[in-house]
Amino acid sequence: MIYFDNAATTLHKPPQVEQAIVEALHTAGNPGRGAHEPTLHAARVVLDTRLALAELFHAPDPSCIFFAANATMALNTVLNGVLHPGDHVITTVCEHNSVLRPLYRLRAQRVEVSFTGVDAAARLCYDQWEVLLRPTTRALVVTGASNVTGNGIDLARAADFAHRHGLALIVDAAQTAGAQPIDVQQLGIDALCFTGHKALLGPQGTGGAYVRPGLCVAPLLVGGSGVHSFDETHPLQMPTALEAGTLNVHGLAGLCAGVQWLLEQGVENLAAREAALARLFYEQVRTAPGVTVYGDMTMQPRAPIVALNIGQEDSARVADILWEDYGICVRAGAHCAPLMHKALGTVEQGVVRFSFSHFNTEQEVQRAAQAVCALARELLCE
């Protein structure tokens, strides 16, 4: 089996991740709910994970990191906690449904939403931001990189625009956290939402967000916190303010191990390897008969993704053949990014997405490229 579905979830993790999860299953109690060793150990696991993520993202303090079940939950927390009826938000057609659907629901609650378009190569049209700006604009919400094309967003430019106009910059980093170096302070990011099960190399069911000190985010959930139990309101101090209920300590132990492994290896080194693998694949398939590749492979930054179609063939059929005949795992369809497909003209066809990890090999890339070229010739002869 060759696994090129890393943009959905990384299948291959460092062995330390599994070891940390198993150890936590046997040793971790409930953090913040007692003074005995199992609960103190659980609290240390949670703190170590915050510290590792704060180091990875260059956050000023580990208390700026709150945990959630995934990037979707983190985005729901931040978007619902920052935007209010009468506010206006600018976002992009590049966004995943984890951004779009919360915004659509907020739109039904009188939050106005405007969308920035893309050009023919699916590059964001930054100049539209000034046109879309209103006196009531409260935030700019952007993805770090499209999960369809891999095209990245210039976050420094986004931050400059946002802060010149007093807006909060909210970033969906599902595709970039762990895959690209991110310095939230240098870039001026106000909220960075991440998931643990992709490039951060953690298990599913982990994620969260960095929230800049001073940015007020109302909690999405309230409930047990382990502290101030007689108060009728949830605690206001971060990160407890945005973490109601018992955390996924066992999952966070695995996430911590994955992030610590990334820090040891160097995100820059791993990102360079992934980019080289994606480029190698692209160069071998881009001229194959009938193959269309979407996005701009020359732009930086970008996620290690190559999205393509073969003629007018349904992307699902192509993905099925790649799996059944070649043992290659890819993702086909809409990728939960409907506005991007409208921009690309692939609403009916979808796209076939190859997403690469540093655990992949050049030999796997070569075999996948050969499979695409062979399949293109076969399908065009039908």
Side-chain angles (χ1 to χ4, degrees), residues 166-232:
L167 314 180
L169 175 60
I170 301 170
V171 179
D172 173 7
Q175 295 299 329
T176 52
Q180 296 174 6
I182 299 175
D183 187 325
V184 292
Q185 295 187 85
Q186 185 179 61
L187 289 168
I189 295 172
D190 294 294
L192 181 88
C193 300
F194 58 88
T195 197
H197 65 97
K198 299 185 182 186
L200 291 177
L201 304 176
Q204 296 171 349
T206 60
Y210 155 80
V211 175
R212 173 184 57 77
L215 178 65
C216 181
V217 178
L220 182 67
L221 303 173
V222 295
S225 61
V227 295
H228 301 292
S229 295
F230 289 96
D231 293 349
E232 294 185 357

Side-chain angles (χ1 to χ4, degrees), residues 6 15 29 47 58 72 74 104 114 123 194 199 219 225 236 241 266-267 273 282 309 317 339 341 356 363 377 381-382:
N6 295 285
L47 177 58
H58 301 272
T72 299
Y104 291 151
S114 296
R123 294 173 297 221
F194 58 88
S225 61
L236 299 177
V267 173
R273 172 168 174 75
Y282 166 73
N309 273 320
R317 184 184 178 211
L339 300 186
H341 283 280
F356 303 88
Q363 291 76 16
R377 291 191 295 269
C381 290
E382 287 185 350

Side-chain angles (χ1 to χ4, degrees), residues 18 22 31 35 45 54 70 78 91 100 113 131 140 142 151 206 236 266 289 293 317 327 360 373 378:
E18 178 183 358
V22 172
V45 168
N70 42 51
V78 173
T91 188
L100 296 178
V113 184
V131 177
L140 174 65
V142 298
N151 285 359
T206 60
L236 299 177
V293 177
R317 184 184 178 211
N360 291 124
C373 293
E378 177 185 334

Side-chain angles (χ1 to χ4, degrees), residues 3 17 27 39 48 70 118 159-160 167 172 207 215 231 236 283 288 296 303 315 344 369 381:
Y3 189 82
V17 173
T27 58
T39 194
D48 286 346
N70 42 51
V118 294
D160 176 69
L167 314 180
D172 173 7
L215 178 65
D231 293 349
L236 299 177
E283 292 294 343
D296 182 355
S315 62
L344 296 174
C381 290

